[in-house]
Amino acid sequence: MIEFLQQYSPVTQALLATLFTWAMTALGAALVFFTKKVNHKLLDSLLGFAAGVMIAASFWSLLAPGIDMAEQMGQISWLTATIGFLGGGIFMRVIDKFLPHLHPGLSMDKREGVKTSWQRSTLLVLAITFHNFPEGLAVGVAFGAVAADLPSATIGGALALALGIGIQNIPEGTAVSMPLRREGMSRGKSFMLGQASGIVEPIAGVIGAYFVLKMQHILPYALCFAAGSMIFVVVEELIPESQRVDENIDLVTMMTMLGFTVMMILDVALG
């Protein structure tokens, strides 16, 4: 796989990798063709696993390489990491405040962002799309970083990040399509809306790779920015969504640790 990717430019690599993560979202959404409901304990566990993957990816694949690159470029590493990481969180908070969206499992009176007359299905898709953007951006920045030819950025590490995000996208696709199906929407439309939430990832991936190639001096900031964006999503969305049922919290916590471990293994083994 690494040899296959190396024949392409970083932007194309990012595109291929994020098309894979989009496909994993579609795979999760496709579950709607086989059943009308998914066990809440299973879905909560999968969301907890996804949270663990994103936490590990934020550190191993983004924040730590960003700090290393800042040092190699002669920057004040802790300051670069702080600016980039908090900048990512603030950016996501601004979007969260204004973008109309509704988290899966909540009633319409719990919708967030500016007031709108948009349908529930649209708001559900926007909620997942909202936190798929930093995932695609992270993959794009990671592949773009490889072109900087710094020791802390490897194509194996970028591939590990794409694999990890792809794995955790499966329950996210399910989390969109299944609620829509339960509300009476057809299987086909539920699937289309579920997979559509991942369309933003290839777009964000190409943008991320292109910009860090054009402005390599901002690369450490970009990596830390992507890490901050992903941590915001984990804390603001994935963990609360996965722990709504008290009796599932212990299981979800262990699944979060398992997700972290799987992503850590992928990054260390491939990176």
Side-chain angles (χ1 to χ4, degrees):
M1 177 61 73
I2 291 177
E3 290 78 10
F4 171 76
L5 288 173
Q6 284 177 327
Q7 64 183 311
Y8 297 105
S9 70
V11 173
T12 303
Q13 291 170 358
L15 175 61
L16 292 173
T18 48
L19 285 173
F20 163 76
T21 61
W22 177 20
M24 292 299 99
T25 303
L27 179 63
L31 190 61
V32 77
F33 289 113
F34 305 99
T35 180
K36 194 170 183 177
K37 62 184 297 185
V38 174
N39 182 280
H40 272 294
K41 182 177 289 188
L42 174 61
L43 187 56
D44 289 348
S45 298
L46 291 174
L47 288 173
F49 181 88
V53 168
M54 288 183 68
I55 293 170
S58 296
F59 177 75
W60 294 99
S61 299
L62 298 169
L63 192 59
I67 292 172
D68 289 343
M69 288 181 191
E71 291 177 348
Q72 293 161 13
M73 291 181 174
Q75 300 175 3
I76 303 174
S77 58
W78 65 264
L79 182 60
T80 297
T82 299
I83 294 172
F85 186 80
L86 291 180
I90 292 169
F91 173 76
M92 293 302 292
R93 175 65 187 111
V94 171
I95 295 179
D96 183 60
K97 182 175 177 61
F98 292 104
L99 178 72
H101 63 284
L102 176 67
H103 299 301
L106 297 182
S107 58
M108 282 292 282
D109 62 339
K110 298 290 181 62
R111 61 187 184 274
E112 300 178 28
V114 297
K115 298 301 180 183
T116 177
S117 60
W118 291 349
Q119 294 181 342
R120 178 182 176 86
S121 59
T122 302
L123 297 176
L124 282 169
V125 172
L126 284 175
I128 303 298
T129 302
F130 159 63
H131 76 236
N132 278 347
F133 181 84
E135 295 171 10
L137 182 67
V139 173
V141 169
F143 277 99
V146 178
D149 201 26
L150 296 171
S152 52
T154 66
I155 194 167
L159 180 60
L161 177 61
L163 286 172
I165 288 178
I167 291 169
Q168 65 92 39
N169 273 358
I170 296 174
E172 292 183 0
T174 304
V176 176
S177 64
M178 296 308 292
L180 297 177
R181 176 59 181 155
R182 285 198 301 269
E183 292 174 10
M185 190 173 289
S186 69
R187 285 186 171 89
K189 190 171 183 180
S190 297
F191 166 75
M192 290 304 296
L193 288 173
Q195 63 82 30
S197 65
I199 288 178
V200 72
E201 291 197 7
I203 298 171
V206 169
I207 291 173
Y210 178 80
F211 273 98
V212 298
L213 283 173
K214 294 299 181 181
M215 298 178 286
Q216 289 196 5
H217 61 282
I218 70 165
L219 184 51
Y221 293 97
L223 286 165
C224 297
F225 180 94
S229 299
M230 286 176 57
I231 290 296
F232 179 92
V233 169
V234 170
V235 177
E236 203 269 343
E237 295 189 26
L238 287 182
I239 290 178
E241 287 175 18
S242 66
Q243 297 194 355
R244 287 204 182 102
V245 180
D246 290 343
E247 63 186 36
N248 294 344
I249 288 179
D250 289 340
L251 174 61
V252 170
T253 300
M254 294 308 299
M255 287 298 292
T256 302
M257 295 185 69
L258 177 62
F260 185 99
T261 302
V262 168
M263 185 63 221
M264 178 178 64
I265 292 172
L266 282 173
D267 195 277
V268 174
L270 294 177

